[in-house]
């Protein structure tokens, strides 16, 4: 089973970015925890602050991977192009947010991508990434 963890804009700053909202764990620590927790899964990590690069990653990998765990950051709320890319690929995508977007500003309540994802996990902190991996494992 091969799964990609994909983080969008500003998530390279996890650990130092608004720790009161996003916690102190870096994306690297989170990824390494996943790698040791799920040795049976081939995990790959991709992060970009650039919308088109996220789309290119989905195009290049979204017909081969077994699952994609996507935290699209703020592009979640704005990107029809990302929504179309998720609709275009065959790999199922789980949308993840570290924070509970529904308890925050109104503009974060809307997701452009949710309807094209198999499901959404929000507000469970970094645990959300692992829970999404478990979902894909349960489908095997
Ligand atoms: C986020 C929530 C988004 O609204 C925000 O723009 C982010 C992070 C989250 O993981 O909680 O960058 O996706």
């Amino acid at each position: 089973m091969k799964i990609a963890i994909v983080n969008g804009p500003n998530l390279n700053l996890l650990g130092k970015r608004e720790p009161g909202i996003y916690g102190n764990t870096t994306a690297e620590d989170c990824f390494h925890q996943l790698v040791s927790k799920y040795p049976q899964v081939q995990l790959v990590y991709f992060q970009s602050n650039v919308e088109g690069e996220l789309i290119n990653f989905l195009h290049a990998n979204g017909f081969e991977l077994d699952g994609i765990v996507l935290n699209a950051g703020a592009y979640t709320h704005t990107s029809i192009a990302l929504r179309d890319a998720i609709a275009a690929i065959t790999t199922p995508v789980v949308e993840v947010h570290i924070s509970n977007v529904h308890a925050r500003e109104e503009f974060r309540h809307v997701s452009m991508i949710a309807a094209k994802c198999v499901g959404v996990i929000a507000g469970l902190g970094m645990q959300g990434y692992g829970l999404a991996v478990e979902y894909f494992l349960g489908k095997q």
Side-chain angles (χ1 to χ4, degrees):
M1 158 134 323
K2 194 169 174 184
I3 296 173
I5 310 294
V6 179
N7 273 338
N10 302 304
L11 293 165
N12 53 311
L13 295 183
L14 285 175
K16 40 184 170 183
R17 171 194 184 197
E18 300 182 89
I21 298 174
Y22 300 112
N24 299 301
T25 310
T26 65
E28 204 177 44
D29 285 347
C30 174
F31 182 69
H32 288 126
Q33 280 166 21
L34 292 175
V35 168
S36 48
K37 193 166 178 192
Y38 302 104
Q40 73 275 43
V41 181
Q42 222 187 309
L43 285 164
V44 294
Y45 182 70
F46 181 75
Q47 189 277 330
S48 178
N49 295 318
V50 179
E51 188 177 13
E53 286 181 1
L54 294 165
I55 292 166
N56 285 343
F57 181 90
L58 295 180
H59 290 181
N61 300 281
F63 295 89
E64 287 145 32
L65 291 167
D66 299 297
I68 294 174
V69 179
L70 173 64
N71 185 344
Y75 288 141
T76 304
H77 317 299
T78 61
S79 180
I80 296 168
L82 206 47
R83 175 198 181 99
D84 287 350
I86 295 166
I89 62 177
T90 52
T91 297
V93 177
V94 172
E95 175 183 342
V96 167
H97 300 287
I98 298 159
S99 65
N100 181 355
V101 283
H102 300 288
R104 299 181 64 192
E105 301 96 325
E106 227 166 85
F107 62 82
R108 293 186 207 276
H109 300 182
V110 174
S111 170
M112 290 294 158
I113 65 172
K116 300 299 173 190
C117 292
V118 283
V120 181
I121 298 171
L124 303 182
M126 298 296 242
Q127 261 188 281
Y129 292 95
L131 292 167
V133 171
E134 302 241 351
Y135 163 74
F136 287 120
L137 281 171
K139 280 184 67 198
Q140 266 183 312

